C-alpha cells in the first residue's frame, strides 16, 4: 500500500457525513465516497458521479451493496496504485479487510441479502418502500464510511510501523 497521510477527520465524522449526505439525497455509494473525499480535502468533479453506478446494489442488480462499493472506491482513491510499477497487493489487502469488517457487521456484502428484495422490479421497489428499508440502507451507508476510515487508518498505521521497524 502506498503510504497515505490522513487528515484529522475521524471515522465517526466520516460516518456522520456519509449519513448526512444520504439524507440529503445522494445514494449510498455516492455518499460514502463523497464523505471520505471531503475528509481528506479531496475535491474533484468526478466525485460523487463515479460512484453512481455502484448504488442500489450496483445499478439495481442485487449485487454488491452500494455503500460497500462506495467504500471500495474511497479506499482505492486513497491507496490504489498510480501506475504499473506499483503492486496491487497492499490495496487488495485493505479492500479485503474492509469487506471482512462489513460482512462481520452486517452478515453480507450483497445488497439482496441485506435488504431482502430485488431493487430492479416494481415489486421489489414497493417492498423496499413498504418495509422502510431506506433506514437500513442509511445504517449501511453510515457504517461503510466508518469502516472504510477505520480500515484505512489501521492499514496506514501498519505501514508506518513497518517503515519504522525497517529503519
Amino acid at each position: 500500500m502506498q503510504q497515505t497521510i490522513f487528515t484529522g477527520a475521524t471515522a465517526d465524522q466520516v460516518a456522520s457525513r456519509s449519513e448526512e449526505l444520504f439524507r440529503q439525497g445522494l445514494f449510498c455509494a455516492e455518499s460514502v465516497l463523497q464523505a471520505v473525499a471531503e475528509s481528506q480535502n479531496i475535491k474533484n468533479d468526478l466525485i460523487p458521479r463515479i460512484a453512481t453506478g455502484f448504488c442500489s446494489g450496483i445499478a439495481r442488480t442485487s449485487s454488491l451493496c452500494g455503500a460497500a462499493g462506495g467504500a471500495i472506491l474511497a479506499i482505492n482513491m486513497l491507496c490504489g496504485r498510480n501506475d504499473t510499477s506499483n503492486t496491487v497487493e497492499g490495496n487488495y489487502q485493505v479492500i479485503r479487510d474492509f469487506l471482512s469488517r462489513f460482512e462481520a457487521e452486517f452478515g453480507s456484502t450483497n445488497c439482496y441479502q441485506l435488504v431482502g428484495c430485488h431493487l430492479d422490479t416494481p415489486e421489489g421497489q414497493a417492498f423496499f418502500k413498504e418495509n422502510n428499508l431506506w433506514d437500513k440502507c442509511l445504517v449501511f451507508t453510515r457504517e461503510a464510511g466508518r469502516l472504510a476510515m477505520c480500515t484505512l487508518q489501521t492499514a496506514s498505521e501498519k505501514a508506518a510501523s513497518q517503515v519504522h521497524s525497517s529503519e
Side-chain angles (χ1 to χ4, degrees):
M1 181 180 104
Q2 296 178 30
Q3 181 119 12
T4 302
I5 306 299
F6 292 101
T7 65
T10 67
D12 286 341
Q13 289 168 323
V14 171
S16 293
R17 182 63 176 149
S18 296
E19 179 178 340
E20 178 183 8
L21 291 165
F22 192 75
R23 287 183 185 279
Q24 291 175 355
L26 287 182
F27 282 10
C28 48
E30 297 165 332
S31 297
V32 174
L33 178 59
Q34 182 70 41
V36 173
E38 287 177 9
S39 79
Q40 302 307 302
N41 298 314
I42 296 172
K43 295 179 179 143
N44 188 297
D45 290 341
L46 296 175
I47 300 168
R49 69 190 296 179
I50 62 172
T52 300
F54 286 85
C55 299
S56 305
I58 304 195
R60 294 187 178 143
T61 62
S62 301
S63 188
L64 177 69
C65 167
I72 291 168
L73 288 169
I75 291 167
N76 288 337
M77 176 179 65
L78 297 175
C79 70
R81 67 184 188 156
N82 293 325
D83 57 51
T84 59
S85 68
N86 296 312
T87 179
V88 298
E89 296 309 316
N91 173 266
Y92 285 7
Q93 185 58 53
V94 177
I95 299 294
R96 286 191 301 265
D97 289 349
F98 165 78
L99 290 170
S100 292
R101 290 176 189 219
F102 191 91
E103 190 164 341
E105 180 80 18
F106 299 112
S108 181
T109 59
N110 177 274
C111 180
Y112 176 79
Q113 291 176 347
L114 293 168
V115 298
C117 64
H118 292 282
L119 298 173
D120 65 338
T121 66
E123 298 81 16
Q125 290 177 20
F127 181 86
F128 185 88
K129 288 178 184 172
E130 290 164 8
N131 291 282
N132 203 23
L133 296 176
W134 186 89
D135 287 343
K136 285 183 88 169
C137 291
L138 178 66
V139 172
F140 302 143
T141 300
R142 180 183 66 236
E143 294 309 308
R146 178 189 323 281
L147 293 171
M149 288 305 292
C150 289
T151 305
L152 283 162
Q153 289 166 342
T154 299
S156 181
E157 290 165 3
K158 183 177 177 183
S161 72
Q162 288 173 347
V163 168
H164 292 302
S165 67
S166 67
E167 293 176 347

